[in-house]
């Protein structure tokens, strides 16, 4: 797994086609939830990753559906049924996990992210809002989309 599959770590051409994945220092064995969930954390977020206006932050279901369709079609040869069934958890887990990482770094003296306190609070609030409002509110719809896609492959 890449283990840092946010949109910023992909290079696109003028038409929006992905050319390559960058920032390969995080590549390691991991669970499929890592790449799936982390991409949706950044890619399906309607706001910027450091957006201070929380009204901009939500979970884009069109991106969720398109990404999930491509992910399931590309991974059908290796994805287990239990992994497919639990993909909505990955979408919810990674914004939460990022909150915990920001908080732990802040408590440990801001040694990794090196953010000022206002920026830290903005990121934490934004990620938490994306998790609560965006994903959990649409959890049942996420399961329905995944079920429909996986049963039509």
């Amino acid at each position: 797994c890449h283990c840092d599959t946010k949109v910023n770590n992909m290079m696109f051409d003028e038409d929006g086609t992905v050319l390559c994945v960058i920032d390969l220092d995080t590549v390691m064995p991991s669970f499929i939830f890592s790449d799936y969930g982390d991409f949706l954390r950044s890619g399906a977020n309607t706001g910027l990753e450091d957006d201070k206006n929380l009204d901009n932050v939500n979970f884009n279901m069109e991106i969720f559906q398109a990404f999930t369709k491509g992910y399931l079609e590309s991974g059908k040869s290796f994805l287990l049924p239990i992994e497919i069934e639990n993909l909505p958890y990955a979408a919810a887990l990674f914004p939460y996990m990022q909150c915990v990482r920001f908080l732990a770094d802040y408590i440990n003296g801001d040694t990794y992210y090196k953010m000022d306190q206002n920026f830290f609070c903005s990121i934490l609030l934004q990620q938490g809002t994306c998790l609560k409002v965006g994903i959990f509110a649409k959890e049942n719809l996420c399961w329905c989309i995944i079920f429909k896609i996986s049963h039509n492959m």
Side-chain angles (χ1 to χ4, degrees), residues 10-20:
M10 297 176 189
M11 295 188 73
F12 299 87
D13 67 13
E14 302 83 36
D15 299 322
T17 302
V18 176
L19 298 173
C20 66

Side-chain angles (χ1 to χ4, degrees), residues 133-152:
V133 175
I135 300 169
F136 281 150
K138 299 170 183 172
E139 186 176 18
N140 288 336
L141 182 55
C142 290
W143 261 296
C144 290
I145 289 169
I146 289 169
F147 181 83
K148 182 179 177 183
I149 293 169
S150 65
H151 285 80
N152 288 325

Side-chain angles (χ1 to χ4, degrees), residues 45-151:
N45 187 347
T46 57
L48 300 173
E49 202 168 17
D50 60 351
D51 207 322
K52 290 183 173 76
N53 183 352
L54 298 181
D55 292 335
N56 295 334
V57 177
N58 208 327
F59 191 70
N60 185 315
M61 289 304 293
E62 288 179 22
I63 291 175
F64 172 82
Q65 185 166 356
F67 180 73
T68 299
K69 184 176 187 302
Y71 192 85
L72 290 175
E73 287 173 355
S74 299
K76 64 183 170 188
S77 65
F78 64 85
L79 289 171
L80 301 174
I82 191 76
E83 291 171 322
I84 294 169
E85 291 169 21
N86 286 290
L87 285 177
Y89 290 123
L93 175 64
F94 276 80
Y96 173 75
M97 199 166 86
Q98 194 65 30
C99 283
V100 172
R101 289 178 66 198
F102 284 133
L103 180 59
D105 182 57
Y106 184 74
I107 290 169
N108 287 321
D110 198 24
T111 58
Y112 184 78
Y113 294 106
K114 305 206 186 319
M115 296 182 273
D116 67 39
Q117 188 170 2
N118 292 333
F119 184 76
F120 165 78
C121 290
S122 170
I123 290 286
L124 188 62
L125 286 171
Q126 182 238 328
Q127 294 291 348
T129 302
C130 184
L131 172 68
K132 271 192 322 194
V133 175
I135 300 169
F136 281 150
K138 299 170 183 172
E139 186 176 18
N140 288 336
L141 182 55
C142 290
W143 261 296
C144 290
I145 289 169
I146 289 169
F147 181 83
K148 182 179 177 183
I149 293 169
S150 65
H151 285 80

Side-chain angles (χ1 to χ4, degrees), residues 22-36:
I22 60 172
D23 193 17
L24 301 177
D25 64 316
T26 57
V27 173
M28 68 183 91
S30 188
F31 298 103
I32 58 106
F33 280 13
S34 176
D35 286 345
Y36 179 83

